[in-house]
Amino acid sequence: MAEKVLVTGGAGYIGSHACKALAAAGFVPVTYDNLVTGWREAVKFGPFEEGDLMDRARLDEVFANHKPVAVMHFAALSQVGEAMSQPGKYWRGNVSASLSLIEATLAAGVRDFVFSSTCATYGDQDGVVLDENSPQMPLNAYGASKRAIEDMLKDFGNSDGLNSVIFRYFNVAGADPDGEVGEFHQPETHLIPLILDAIDGRRAALTIHGTDYPTEDGTCIRDYVHVMDLVDAHVQGLNWLRAGEGPTAGGTEVFCLGTGDGFSVREVVSAAGSVTNRAVPMQDGPRRAGDAVKLVSGSERAGRVLGWRPDRSTMPQMIRDAWRWHQNGGYER
Ligand SMILES: NC(=O)c1ccc[n+]([C@@H]2O[C@H](COP(=O)([O-])OP(=O)(O)OC[C@H]3O[C@@H](n4cnc5c(N)ncnc54)[C@H](O)[C@@H]3O)[C@@H](O)[C@H]2O)c1
């Protein structure tokens, strides 16, 4: 019988794509999600269990019913602006919630854990290409909460033999090319869907947050990874753990998932205009508190150890797949 993997946040953007990749790799993805930002309709590749990470009894019940062999933990709150104004929501919703999940995982005897961390744990580090050893100096409670969860995984590795793969993502973009799932955040805060909303009139104009950053065109620079490449890394990381090639007696391994190429906001806008052959209505706006100037990472370690190659992560490909989803996809409550 196919092995099950508990996917927290499987009704969200990245989690739903991970469920598709897990199913294609022969696992049964069991989505555990409270639908706070996710969509019931996005759960297409395995069973759905509605529940909150803070509900320990519900988690225990789901572990007992499905007996997953591993956990992929995507569920989180992840809006930087909200994290700046409501830090308590992030410490509770990310850190306390992850503690509840980790304790339930250990109580169920599961030892293999894959975690979504973020480049927001780095903060601003002037011009460098980041890697797994770069210092973590988060600028907001979102990044700080993710760094705290990384620390928690290390502690439970030492105390209880939890084996974790931690992926630090940069900006995730694109959609399933088959159109089964895609990015649909409400409210949307991610650049590419915001640009596409402006192109097709769902919003009046794209606001560029900050045009006076110390970069060539004054806008922030980010590293974009195609969501299908990103979820492939998760399956590779899971297989690596399951094969006993990663940590086996408790430990964490960190991988940065970036392409090494940075794109400024204006460069992404211009690429979206070219790919869609449409004008992008836009206006300049003030900086957003908590935003770093430049976040770019290589993926040498993920390539060397896991064999990961972000082959689909070209800007035109990500925009093309996002645009196709944007025109035909979406979910309803
Ligand atoms: N999208 C990006 O560019 C990006 C970049 C870096 C890191 N990440 C991380 O990747 C993960 C997934 O991001 P996403 O863009 O798919 O977000 P998303 O909001 O689409 O998905 C998160 C899912 O988690 C669920 N959830 C949140 N809190 C929960 C709780 N307490 N109990 C149960 N379910 C809960 C939501 O309902 C949602 O379905 C997050 O951990 C995020 O921090 C995302």
Side-chain angles (χ1 to χ4, degrees):
M1 215 169 66
E3 290 179 320
K4 292 182 175 177
V5 175
L6 186 75
V7 182
T8 75
Y13 169 41
I14 301 170
S16 59
H17 289 77
C19 287
K20 178 162 179 159
L22 282 166
F27 293 99
V28 175
V30 178
T31 290
Y32 186 85
D33 201 301
N34 65 0
L35 302 180
V36 64
T37 56
W39 306 89
R40 175 67 187 87
E41 240 189 287
V43 184
K44 297 185 170 171
F45 310 101
F48 176 53
E49 296 287 358
E50 188 164 354
D52 192 289
L53 292 173
M54 296 292 270
D55 186 346
R56 178 60 197 276
R58 177 81 180 114
L59 272 175
D60 288 345
E61 179 185 64
V62 169
F63 271 105
N65 288 345
H66 290 284
K67 302 189 174 40
V69 296
V71 173
M72 272 193 194
H73 179 29
F74 296 95
L77 303 172
S78 58
Q79 289 175 33
V80 170
E82 188 182 65
M84 293 296 287
S85 59
Q86 299 177 62
K89 188 169 173 183
Y90 280 69
W91 285 97
R92 211 171 3 260
N94 288 350
V95 181
S96 304
S98 296
L99 176 59
S100 165
L101 172 68
I102 292 168
E103 288 180 334
T105 302
L106 292 170
V110 176
R111 291 293 178 274
D112 290 340
F113 199 96
V114 179
F115 174 57
S116 300
S117 190
T118 166
C119 59
T121 60
Y122 290 116
D124 236 341
Q125 302 190 24
D126 217 17
V128 295
V129 173
L130 299 159
D131 67 21
E132 292 79 9
N133 298 316
S134 303
Q136 291 174 287
M137 302 180 289
L139 295 179
N140 53 61
Y142 167 57
S145 70
K146 290 284 185 169
R147 184 182 62 178
I149 300 165
E150 291 193 11
D151 288 345
M152 210 149 66
L153 290 171
K154 280 185 208 119
D155 288 344
F156 283 102
N158 291 331
S159 64
D160 290 79
L162 186 67
N163 304 311
S164 309
V165 169
I166 295 171
F167 288 117
R168 292 189 193 135
Y169 319 160
F170 286 64
N171 281 45
V172 186
D176 168 21
D178 302 332
E180 291 188 280
V181 284
E183 182 167 19
F184 199 65
H185 290 116
Q186 280 190 349
E188 188 53 79
T189 58
H190 293 154
L191 180 61
I192 292 175
L194 287 174
I195 294 173
L196 301 179
D197 277 349
I199 286 178
D200 72 4
R202 289 185 212 188
R203 73 177 50 236
L206 171 79
T207 301
I208 299 190
H209 291 290
T211 53
D212 59 348
Y213 284 102
T215 61
E216 212 156 284
D217 65 19
T219 63
C220 291
I221 294 177
R222 295 288 181 270
D223 188 335
Y224 292 82
V225 176
H226 196 299
V227 65
M228 299 303 287
D229 284 338
L230 188 91
V231 298
D232 279 355
H234 287 65
V235 175
Q236 288 169 325
L238 176 69
N239 284 333
W240 185 67
L241 277 179
R242 302 282 307 140
E245 292 165 1
T248 50
T252 56
E253 293 286 343
V254 178
F255 297 96
C256 285
L257 299 178
T259 64
D261 287 330
F263 290 85
S264 73
V265 173
R266 289 204 197 283
E267 285 171 335
V268 178
V269 170
S270 153
S274 305
V275 168
T276 60
N277 204 18
R278 304 267 288 269
V280 186
M282 59 184 157
Q283 62 191 23
D284 292 352
R287 291 184 182 199
R288 229 171 17 186
D291 269 346
V293 179
K294 176 175 173 180
L295 290 167
V296 175
S297 157
S299 56
E300 185 277 329
R301 185 158 195 270
R304 180 168 41 82
V305 177
L306 303 178
W308 185 64
R309 305 267 172 275
D311 292 334
R312 285 163 284 201
S313 299
T314 66
M315 189 52 72
Q317 176 82 46
M318 289 183 281
I319 294 172
R320 244 191 319 275
D321 289 339
W323 181 229
R324 193 180 311 111
W325 163 257
H326 197 83
Q327 290 174 297
N328 303 322
Y331 304 119
E332 279 175 24
R333 285 263 177 238

